Amino acid sequence: MDDILNLLEKNNITLVRFEQIDMYGISQCRAVPLKHFKTSAEHGVNFSKGLLIFDPRGYPFENSGYGEEIHYEDCRVFPDLDTFAILPWMKNTARVLVEGEMNGKKVPIYPRVVARRQLDRLADYDLSLWSAHEHEFYAVKADTMEPIDHESYAFSSLRLSADEDFIQQIVVDLPKAGVDVECVTFETCAGHMEVTYRPEFGIKAADTAYTYKLGIKEIALKHGYVASFMSKPWPQEHGSSAHYCHSLWDAAGKVSKLYDASSSTGLSKIGEYWVAGLLAHARAISVLMAPTVNCLKRFKRHSFAPYNVTWGPDNRTCAIRIKIQGDKGTYIENRLGASGCNPYISMAATIAAGLDGIVNKLPLPKGIDGASSAYDDEYVPPLTPALPDNMEEAVEALLADEVITSALGEEFIKCFVAAKRHEMKLEKEAIEKGRLEEWEREFLFFMM
């Protein structure tokens, strides 16, 4: 605490945001003036548990167990001081991430709590996770919704001049808040970008993803832009993904557990079991990793997104892509993730599925080599299921999977599914009015 207080004074900080993450991954906060920070950190701050059940437009969804049923009662939130960061893109502002408690116990639907519990389960098997999300996003002008550039040449050097000030602020400011930016590029569509960053061990990886997304959005606003992680804002354009790249290590984070040079797959037995678990539960976790009615529209053939439950070495048409790069560099790319995902839930779902593969020593199905396409049925093993591409099917798949629902907890699943049923209701109303695309953008584009 003393070190933080010194940093606050040294950097002339006047406000500290106590930030929590809701079911959609959207940041909520109470901004505490400096003079009250120490007391608030030590004794907690009141937050309504009902804030966790807001949809992206700020309206509560029904039947969550956390709304009218408990009269939107408060919990007491306490900061994880390890998450303290000064936000250089904001004026004299810092932040800490908080989790809620009731009667001395963590509120079980906090996404950060759900993810930490899965990491704890992993540690019980002397394993840890080194990971990062690869987010794509669209950047548009706030007043016109026109993209910040109008080109479609992916990875073009010239496109980086579209707005140098915006890009430079991302590269300079995000690392100051703990996001170690590695690469910046434009994608295939106008205004479509990807900024990648270094992986981290444990919960810090999800904290970094959260900081990254909020930082990008807030920096964009400073430049008169809106940066949106909505997964597919325009049906005719490519969607935005959040591939979850990760590798397994021993609990101390020193010894890689994925690679085996003598194996035909390049993976260790633990690695093969882990991938088998991801595949066994892919249909169930798809809605946890692509969690909106809009996200699920990515799961189509020839879309640069997965279509079915497949894996392959360095094969971007598969749901699970394996990169074999030696003892230290081998990793797994879970391509189910949509950019509209909540990184804590994406992490928790991946661990729950992969860990079941290890616990039950699930056999790894036949993979699809890099010269073949998982979009082509000729190369896909018989009876390989397709991924759900609509919310009703995706929720059914989740609820039918006792391994995943048990791992993430009854209260969390009830609340998460309530949110999805709320979306289905709103989607149906929009379809009946003949304005589905407009409703999706109104619902998701600004806040996601």
Side-chain angles (χ1 to χ4, degrees), residues 301-431:
R301 296 181 195 258
H302 309 292
S303 64
F304 290 100
Y307 163 74
N308 48 22
V309 181
T310 49
W311 77 276
D314 205 3
N315 191 328
R316 284 184 166 88
T317 66
C318 295
I320 306 298
R321 175 180 175 233
I322 311 300
K323 287 288 287 184
I324 303 298
Q325 298 181 149
D327 186 43
K328 302 297 184 184
T330 294
Y331 68 92
I332 297 163
E333 182 180 81
N334 185 343
R335 296 176 62 81
L336 296 177
S339 206
C341 75
N342 181 322
Y344 297 95
I345 297 175
S346 179
M347 171 185 279
T350 296
I351 297 172
L355 192 54
D356 183 59
I358 291 174
V359 171
N360 289 297
K361 298 184 177 179
L362 299 181
L364 182 64
K366 181 182 178 182
I368 298 178
D369 65 49
S372 304
S373 172
Y375 298 139
D376 189 337
D377 292 340
E378 175 185 354
Y379 303 109
V380 178
L383 304 179
T384 297
L387 294 166
D389 63 359
N390 65 85
M391 187 59 75
E392 183 175 3
E393 183 184 354
V395 167
E396 287 177 0
L398 172 63
L399 292 177
D401 194 316
E402 293 184 6
V403 169
I404 301 301
T405 55
S406 176
L408 301 191
E410 181 180 349
E411 286 190 49
F412 170 80
I413 293 295
K414 177 180 179 179
C415 187
F416 181 85
V417 169
K420 302 308 107 184
R421 288 178 172 150
H422 172 72
E423 282 182 46
M424 283 190 277
K425 176 176 177 291
L426 295 179
E427 180 188 42
K428 181 180 178 182
E429 292 171 355
I431 291 172

Side-chain angles (χ1 to χ4, degrees), residues 172-234:
V172 171
D173 280 1
L174 283 181
K176 294 177 182 177
V179 181
D180 188 357
V181 174
E182 279 192 318
C183 186
V184 181
T185 191
F186 276 81
E187 292 287 344
T188 304
C189 302
H192 201 204
M193 299 183 65
E194 180 179 82
V195 179
T196 58
Y197 48 86
R198 290 284 294 169
E200 302 278 1
F201 276 105
I203 197 64
K204 196 172 189 305
D207 292 340
T208 299
Y210 160 81
T211 303
Y212 162 90
K213 291 179 76 173
L214 183 59
I216 293 274
K217 292 184 72 66
E218 292 187 332
I219 290 169
L221 289 174
K222 303 291 184 182
H223 292 264
Y225 301 152
V226 174
S228 179
F229 294 85
M230 177 182 175
S231 298
K232 202 166 177 62
W234 294 281

Side-chain angles (χ1 to χ4, degrees), residues 106-108 112-122:
K106 295 288 185 181
V107 176
R112 193 170 189 267
V113 170
V114 174
R116 286 197 301 101
R117 286 179 174 164
Q118 296 310 303
L119 289 164
D120 289 344
R121 291 182 63 217
L122 201 58

